[in-house]
Amino acid sequence: MICTPLTGGVSEKTTRTMKEYTDEYLQQVKDIVAANDVERARELLEGLHPADIAELFHDLDTEESEFLNKLLDEETAAEVLMELDEDDRKELLAQMPNEDIAKQLEHLDSDDAVDLIQELDEEDRDDVISHIDDMEQAGDIIDLLKYDDDTAGGLMGTEMIVVNENWSMPECMKQMRMQAEEMDEIYYVYVVDDENRLKGVFPLKKMITHPSVSKIKHVMVTDPIAVKADTPIEEVALDFEKYNLVAMPVIDSIGRLVGRITVDDIMDQVREQSERDYQLASGISTDVETNDNLLTQTKARLPWLLIGMIGGLANSVILGNFESGFATNPAMALFIPLIGGTGGNVGIQSSAIVVQGLANGSLDIKHAAKQIGKELGVGLINATIISFLVFLYNCFFLDDPGRVTTIAVSVSLFSVVIFASIFGTFVPLTLEKLKIDPALATGPFISITNDIIGMVIYTTVSTMLMHVLQGVVV
């Protein structure tokens, strides 16, 4: 049974958008802060959306941001913290007393509070939690910190409306009103039994059509889509997409309701994963941002550049051993970029399709043999067309009396495309099987490997043909 969204809450706090953000406006803000003009600074911030304030903080130095942050009420300051990017947030948190951080955490949902807590040092985490006055929230945070970051439990929050299946409609309405007072957004009303096991979802429509029902269990929607706390986030994201959910309940191993995940949390995770995969496919080994320092960016980018350098040196060795062949048929050197480039492109295409299929769930690792077979068929068609077109070109435009170069290029190109198709499919499937991010197979690894194998094939085929056709060559 697919859960149906019930209602979406609207924040009671009214906000205004920041006026046109210009260099002059930014300088005005800096002048106000430099003058320590508290009243004008408060007027500047009053009613601004937290996202706009976070954007402003990004362009101010830490001391200026700290000055303005102290003028915000605790709820707004907490929302601003969550809107800041990770580096800006860490800098601001480093300037804040743990008591102030604890007060702001009390205004955040438990999942956001946990995300923020995890950015603190180990000793600061315990100190901040000890200063949280709401013991229930402190307990929720401690419980959530036990889950791995990349699981449903590490992403879930505990703010949700829960009713008992044995409650009457009047009792249900009373409890829902009480619980809703502490929540900003209401997505679903979850129904549990006396053991807190998830039993269903209570649609708002039933409140209108069955106002006098004896027990909630008679009108609830049973068998809601739920996810276990130890489920990987990637699988959770696929369920959200498959069932078009805005929130999903999280249960433990025996079916007890322990939390909920909302679609905005999933979208954040999907975006971050897409960014990591894109960087990994581009040969960046760790997650970096444009504002990271030189050392951080160098450490992230240098490893694959070094591997690429080693691959280039390997190619030079391979080609150096074929020096006599180039001396006999100089035209062969003209096709080195074609062989290497085509192999790399085909490999990246094949691996990208597989990685995308694994990511969106359309490809199951159990069907690896079928996918490899399909890619082999595509590779045969592509290889035939490409090698034939190059053969025709060389026949008409290449001065090649013995046709050694013409045949060698076409045969090598055919072989390289076939190999790259299979290799580009096999590698990400293997990485997925080994629990390694298959996005690794869409970048330099495929290109470098196919480039080296392509040169080996080209020089080997050319050498064999030169020996076979030597008597034909004038």
Side-chain angles (χ1 to χ4, degrees):
M1 179 67 68
I2 297 177
C3 300
T4 305
L6 300 179
T7 184
V10 179
S11 176
E12 296 180 0
K13 181 185 294 185
T14 58
T15 59
R16 61 182 175 88
T17 56
M18 189 162 53
K19 69 178 183 179
E20 186 178 359
Y21 194 45
T22 61
D23 292 339
E24 290 77 14
Y25 177 70
L26 180 61
Q27 187 58 51
Q28 180 186 2
V29 174
K30 288 178 173 289
D31 292 341
I32 291 174
V33 175
N36 202 29
D37 193 336
V38 174
E39 291 304 319
R40 289 188 65 193
R42 281 204 175 99
E43 292 176 5
L44 175 78
L45 297 173
E46 185 178 2
L48 271 182
H49 194 285
D52 286 330
I53 300 176
E55 181 182 356
L56 186 61
F57 282 10
H58 179 72
D59 292 326
L60 299 174
D61 59 39
T62 306
E63 291 74 18
E64 292 168 333
S65 298
E66 183 185 8
F67 173 82
L68 295 177
N69 188 61
K70 290 179 179 178
L71 303 180
L72 300 172
D73 61 80
E74 292 175 358
E75 182 178 0
T76 302
E79 294 176 2
V80 171
L81 272 179
M82 298 312 299
E83 293 288 349
L84 290 170
D85 65 41
E86 186 175 345
D87 291 336
D88 292 337
R89 184 165 54 246
K90 285 183 177 180
E91 291 179 4
L92 191 56
L93 287 173
Q95 304 299 319
M96 295 172 59
N98 288 339
E99 294 88 342
D100 291 346
I101 297 176
K103 290 178 181 178
Q104 294 187 15
L105 284 179
E106 294 179 3
H107 297 282
L108 295 175
D109 288 343
S110 55
D111 52 339
D112 289 332
V114 169
D115 290 341
L116 194 148
I117 283 282
Q118 288 176 329
E119 295 181 9
L120 302 175
D121 295 332
E122 196 69 40
E123 64 250 15
D124 288 330
R125 293 183 188 180
D126 297 335
D127 190 41
V128 168
I129 293 175
S130 69
H131 284 94
I132 297 177
D133 294 331
D134 187 340
M135 297 306 296
E136 182 177 355
Q137 186 193 32
D140 288 340
I141 291 174
I142 292 173
D143 290 339
L144 292 176
L145 284 171
K146 298 176 183 177
Y147 295 101
D148 292 336
D149 293 344
D150 57 352
T151 64
L155 192 61
M156 72 181 180
T158 57
E159 292 77 17
M160 52 189 171
I161 293 183
V162 183
V163 299
N164 189 284
E165 63 177 351
N166 295 312
W167 287 350
S168 64
M169 184 66 75
E171 176 65 14
C172 179
M173 293 292 293
K174 177 183 176 182
Q175 292 293 332
M176 287 173 60
R177 290 192 188 99
M178 292 174 58
Q179 295 177 42
E181 290 180 357
E182 303 297 324
M183 300 181 62
D184 292 328
E185 303 285 346
I186 301 174
Y187 297 100
Y188 300 99
V189 176
Y190 298 113
V191 183
V192 298
D193 61 13
D194 294 334
E195 303 298 328
N196 200 45
R197 289 173 296 198
L198 180 65
K199 289 298 182 180
V201 174
F202 181 41
L204 290 180
K205 180 179 178 180
K206 299 295 184 181
M207 299 180 194
I208 302 172
T209 58
H210 296 77
S212 59
V213 67
S214 59
K215 291 184 179 181
I216 299 302
K217 65 182 178 182
H218 297 315
V219 294
M220 69 181 182
V221 178
T222 58
D223 301 323
I225 301 299
V227 63
K228 289 188 176 181
D230 59 355
T231 303
I233 289 177
E234 291 81 4
E235 295 182 21
V236 179
L238 292 177
D239 284 341
F240 265 85
E241 180 182 11
K242 180 178 180 180
Y243 299 111
N244 296 318
L245 300 175
V246 295
M248 183 185 293
V250 182
I251 58 177
D252 63 13
S253 58
I254 58 175
R256 292 176 300 189
L257 182 64
V258 293
R260 58 91 186 105
I261 299 175
T262 57
V263 67
D264 58 319
D265 297 323
I266 283 294
M267 291 306 298
D268 289 341
Q269 290 295 320
V270 170
R271 176 181 55 79
E272 291 176 7
Q273 183 62 46
S274 297
E275 290 175 354
R276 286 195 295 269
D277 287 348
Y278 180 77
Q279 291 190 348
L280 190 60
S282 301
I284 301 176
S285 56
T286 59
D287 188 23
V288 294
E289 301 289 343
T290 55
N291 57 354
D292 285 338
N293 60 46
L294 293 176
L295 181 59
T296 300
Q297 293 209 24
T298 301
K299 288 168 60 178
R301 297 159 68 173
L302 185 59
W304 273 113
L305 294 178
L306 293 176
I307 294 174
M309 179 197 71
I310 294 173
L313 292 175
N315 267 335
S316 67
V317 172
I318 294 170
L319 296 174
N321 291 330
F322 192 66
E323 187 175 357
S324 59
F326 290 138
T328 304
N329 295 280
M332 284 187 172
L334 301 175
F335 296 94
I336 292 175
L338 174 65
I339 301 294
T342 303
N345 289 337
V346 171
I348 290 177
Q349 285 181 345
S350 300
S351 60
I353 291 174
V354 173
V355 171
Q356 183 183 34
L358 293 172
N360 62 28
S362 62
L363 175 61
D364 195 317
I365 191 69
K366 292 182 292 187
H367 301 144
K370 180 180 179 181
Q371 181 62 30
I372 292 175
K374 180 187 292 185
E375 194 60 37
L376 176 59
V378 174
L380 283 169
I381 296 173
N382 289 336
T384 301
I385 294 173
I386 292 173
S387 59
F388 180 68
L389 291 175
V390 172
F391 179 82
L392 289 179
Y393 173 85
N394 287 339
C395 285
F396 286 105
F397 298 103
L398 183 67
D399 183 15
D400 184 24
R403 298 301 179 196
V404 173
T405 301
T406 299
I407 298 174
V409 170
S410 294
V411 172
S412 299
L413 203 54
F414 183 90
S415 303
V416 166
V417 171
I418 296 297
F419 171 82
S421 298
I422 298 175
F423 187 71
T425 304
F426 179 76
V427 171
L429 290 172
T430 303
L431 293 177
E432 176 72 10
K433 186 73 173 179
L434 298 175
K435 307 299 181 183
I436 300 173
D437 192 342
L440 178 67
T442 61
F445 178 74
I446 289 290
S447 297
I448 295 169
T449 304
N450 282 331
D451 198 21
I452 294 174
I453 298 299
M455 289 306 100
V456 171
I457 291 174
Y458 186 37
T459 55
T460 301
V461 169
S462 298
T463 301
M464 293 174 60
L465 284 173
M466 289 176 66
H467 283 302
V468 171
L469 303 177
Q470 188 65 42
V472 179
V473 178
V474 180

